[in-house]
Amino acid sequence: RAVTAPLLFASRQSVKERARLRLREFDVGDKFSHLPLPKASVLLPLMVRAGKLHLLLTVRSMELRRSPGEVCFPGGKSEATDKDEIDTALREAKEEVGLQPEKVEVICRLVPGIDKMNHLVTPVVGFIEDTFQAIPNPDEVSDVFVVPLEYFVKPLNYKALPYKTSSGYFRQIHCFMYDDHEHKMSFKIWGLTAHFAVFLALVIFGKRPTFEVDYDLDNLISSSEKNFMNLYASLFERKKSNL
């Protein structure tokens, strides 16, 4: 039995190392931080369980005014005391699920998204220990669960929903149903949360998903930035037309 521990450790390290290398290629740093939109950040917490990457997600408390009961990543709006997007994501993860900032190995910031409230939302990717025990803040979070990252390229239960953006153009949004045997519950993961999870999986695995995505998979970096800038530009087109 003594032999397996170092082997497990080695395989865990190599899974992490490969993911780290891929993610660093996609790090946008503060490239989009200057855009004049209100800022928010989410933490995409990765862990290795049984040799595979998993992603930690939360369910928003039913008490919240905005999107109660929806699945999301730990995160929220930037505050004046936050140094940058990374600070925001770590502070929010501590408030929501009791994750101490020093327990997160931050790897990168990925291309941001824009939420329904027109916040610029930056996904911050970090590794956490698989032994992390979440302490959900009941005012904000009703559940915490983990999903194998591979589910976001090879799902068992997926549909694309047509969605009209606030600026009036149609796009597909991803919607996953995930059966969590640990909780004996099904979770619906969709919208911006699903968008970030899919992109993270595409970056790390570098393989084609079993469903359509609106990226050029051979030029994932440039096409993801181009998609984002088109979405951002469409916001301003709308603002102009509303004047």
Side-chain angles (χ1 to χ4, degrees), residues 21-32:
L21 291 171
R22 290 279 302 171
L23 286 163
R24 291 210 175 106
E25 285 177 49
F26 285 80
D27 188 1
V28 298
D30 58 6
K31 183 173 183 173
F32 299 101

Side-chain angles (χ1 to χ4, degrees), residues 22 28 31 96 99 137 162 175 208 217-218 235 237:
R22 290 279 302 171
V28 298
K31 183 173 183 173
E96 290 179 15
L99 177 60
N137 170 351
C175 179
R208 294 190 174 274
L217 293 172
D218 299 319
L235 268 185
E237 287 308 304

Side-chain angles (χ1 to χ4, degrees), residues 70-207:
E70 301 248 317
V71 169
C72 63
F73 290 110
K77 286 191 281 218
S78 139
E79 289 182 1
T81 48
D82 298 336
K83 286 201 304 290
D84 56 16
E85 294 93 347
I86 294 171
D87 244 24
T88 304
L90 294 176
R91 175 182 53 71
E92 288 281 348
K94 182 181 176 187
E95 288 170 15
E96 290 179 15
V97 295
L99 177 60
Q100 298 300 325
E102 63 277 10
K103 297 280 191 201
V104 184
E105 181 204 346
V106 173
I107 308 294
C108 67
R109 284 173 270 190
L110 296 176
V111 174
I114 297 174
D115 71 6
K116 297 192 280 271
M117 316 292 289
N118 292 340
H119 288 94
L120 181 77
V121 185
T122 300
V124 175
V125 186
F127 275 111
I128 63 173
E129 288 303 321
D130 63 325
T131 50
F132 168 66
Q133 292 292 320
I135 306 163
N137 170 351
D139 295 334
E140 301 197 36
V141 172
S142 65
D143 254 308
V144 178
F145 65 105
V146 298
V147 180
L149 184 62
E150 205 174 40
Y151 197 81
F152 297 105
V153 282
K154 285 204 309 201
L156 296 172
N157 191 335
Y158 169 86
K159 58 178 185 277
L161 303 173
Y163 176 71
K164 189 177 169 190
T165 65
S166 51
S167 51
Y169 71 29
F170 280 93
R171 49 195 294 218
Q172 297 283 343
I173 54 172
H174 306 300
C175 179
F176 299 85
M177 288 304 295
Y178 178 68
D179 292 328
D180 182 355
H181 301 298
E182 202 182 332
H183 286 73
K184 308 225 178 340
M185 279 169 79
S186 282
F187 295 104
K188 177 185 175 185
I189 307 161
W190 68 297
L192 196 56
T193 302
H195 167 83
F196 287 149
V198 167
F199 187 64
L200 182 66
L202 292 175
V203 166
I204 290 177
F205 298 126
K207 59 184 182 193

